[in-house]
């Protein structure tokens, strides 16, 4: 269990216990697609053992939103529709009209959907009630917002996107221009500049750092840094982007003791991840001027 990409939110209001959270989520557990449902969503077990809907280790909690979707390619529906239309033409002696084709297609879709194969996915979120973090794993903002929306409806707990006093592009541009971030952070070799006036005007550096003259030229022509590779305390490397998302998190040389079972390994990994992120996140927020609402 290690989150590769972080979408960061804050808990607003009183913290909830794992026991109460289990009750809330059970009311909207994933039931699977029934009948003609194309997809469904609900809470599933987030851990190794498919039991509780809330995994907890100490005060830290892990939940997972499950999504089940039936696989029904449009080409399959079109193929059956074409065959049924040909059958109708043979019976009535002329080709079916647009209305008839539409009705044939709707019937074919319902028939195929009722027996289509369903696949499941799950999206995890880490909850830290002590420090107020709610972190969704994944690079997709849409999926993260969906999980948050379902969580709020299921629990009544209010969540807010993290906000900082200094916009990430402004801070990253300043750091790369020479001032540098706080000493607990180091700048790595990947970065991306974008024009403030023309959002399509991008300059990327991969596995190389721009020299000071290039940086000065980019800034003077109205560009700012929107992605920057960094390392925190020689422990975790990541990419910070303009939306305050952390991507490609990589745990560096930290000794880990081997576990005897998969469940023990899961516990160990989750403890390690949450212990490190509980230090990284506030220090990164402080580097960006502090959280705007606190």
């Amino acid at each position: 269990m290690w989150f590769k990409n972080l979408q960061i939110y804050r808990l607003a209001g009183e913290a909830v216990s794992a026991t109460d959270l289990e009750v809330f989520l059970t009311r909207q557990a994933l039931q699977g697609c029934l009948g003609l449902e194309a997809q469904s969503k609900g809470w599933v077990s987030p851990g190794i053992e498919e039991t509780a809907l809330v995994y907890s280790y100490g005060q830290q909690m892990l939940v997972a939103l499950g999504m089940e979707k039936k696989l029904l390619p449009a080409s399959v529906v079109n193929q059956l529709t074409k065959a049924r239309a040909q059958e109708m033409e043979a019976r009535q002696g002329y080709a079916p009209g647009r209305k008839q084709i539409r009705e044939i297609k709707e019937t074919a879709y319902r028939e195929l959907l009722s027996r289509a194969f369903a696949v499941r996915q799950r999206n995890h979120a880490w909850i830290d009630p002590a420090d107020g973090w709610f972190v969704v794993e994944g690079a997709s903002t849409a999926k993260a917002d969906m999980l948050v929306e379902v969580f709020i409806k299921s629990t009544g707990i209010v969540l807010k996107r993290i906000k900082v006093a200094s916009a990430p592009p402004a801070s990253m541009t300043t750091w790369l221009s020479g001032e540098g971030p706080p000493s607990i952070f180091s700048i790595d070799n990947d970065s991306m500049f974008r024009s403030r006036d023309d959002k399509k005007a991008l300059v990327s550096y991969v596995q190389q750092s721009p020299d000071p003259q290039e940086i000065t030229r980019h800034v003077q022509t109205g560009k700012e840094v929107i992605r920057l590779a960094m390392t925190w305390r020689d422990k975790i490397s990541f990419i910070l982007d303009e939306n305050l998302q952390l991507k490609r998190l990589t745990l560096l040389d930290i000794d880990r003791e081997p576990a005897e079972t998969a469940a023990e390994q899961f516990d160990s990994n989750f403890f390690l991840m949450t212990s490190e992120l509980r230090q990284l996140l506030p220090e990164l927020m402080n580097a960006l001027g502090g959280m705007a609402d606190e």
Side-chain angles (χ1 to χ4, degrees), residues 97-199:
R98 290 184 179 178
K99 182 179 179 181
Q100 288 178 310
I101 290 293
R102 185 168 59 251
E103 292 173 348
I104 292 171
K105 189 170 186 177
E106 291 174 354
T107 301
Y109 175 79
R110 290 194 298 269
E111 178 183 335
L112 292 169
L113 187 64
S114 64
R115 59 177 190 267
F117 180 74
V119 294
R120 284 193 176 189
Q121 297 177 329
R122 62 180 180 177
N123 196 15
H124 289 88
W126 157 49
I127 305 171
D128 178 7
D131 293 335
W133 300 109
F134 188 98
V135 178
V136 181
E137 201 283 331
S140 169
T141 300
K143 288 184 178 180
D145 288 343
M146 180 180 68
L147 185 149
V148 167
E149 180 182 355
V150 176
F151 184 83
I152 293 173
K153 289 181 179 179
S154 300
T155 65
I157 298 172
V158 178
L159 302 174
K160 297 180 179 179
R161 272 276 183 184
I162 192 74
K163 293 182 179 180
V164 289
S166 177
S171 293
M172 292 189 290
T173 303
T174 299
W175 295 341
L176 205 56
S177 296
E179 288 189 15
S183 59
I184 57 175
F185 294 95
S186 59
I187 295 176
D188 298 331
N189 291 332
D190 290 11
S191 60
M192 179 181 291
F193 290 80
R194 186 181 66 195
S195 171
R196 293 183 178 89
D197 299 323
D198 182 2
K199 300 302 182 182

Side-chain angles (χ1 to χ4, degrees), residues 22 68 91 97 135 139 154 158 165 201 204 211 274:
E22 181 77 27
E68 183 172 288
R91 289 197 306 271
V135 178
S154 300
V158 178
S204 297
D211 60 44
T274 55

Side-chain angles (χ1 to χ4, degrees), residues 60 126 232 270-280:
Q60 307 306 303
W126 157 49
W232 168 75
F270 182 72
F271 173 75
L272 177 61
M273 181 187 78
T274 55
S275 297
E276 297 299 329
L277 292 184
R278 291 184 72 195
Q279 299 175 65
L280 164 60

Side-chain angles (χ1 to χ4, degrees), residues 21-69:
L21 188 57
E22 181 77 27
V23 173
F24 290 141
L25 300 189
T26 300
R27 297 170 184 167
Q28 200 168 341
L30 180 64
Q31 300 299 321
C33 298
L34 302 174
L36 297 178
E37 287 184 328
Q39 61 182 4
S40 64
K41 56 182 178 286
W43 301 102
V44 297
S45 175
I48 296 295
E49 299 177 357
E50 299 293 327
T51 52
L53 298 180
V54 180
Y55 166 86
S56 60
Y57 193 98
Q59 288 185 310
Q60 307 306 303
M61 294 180 281
L62 186 71
V63 298
L65 181 67
M67 290 155 282
E68 183 172 288
K69 184 176 183 180

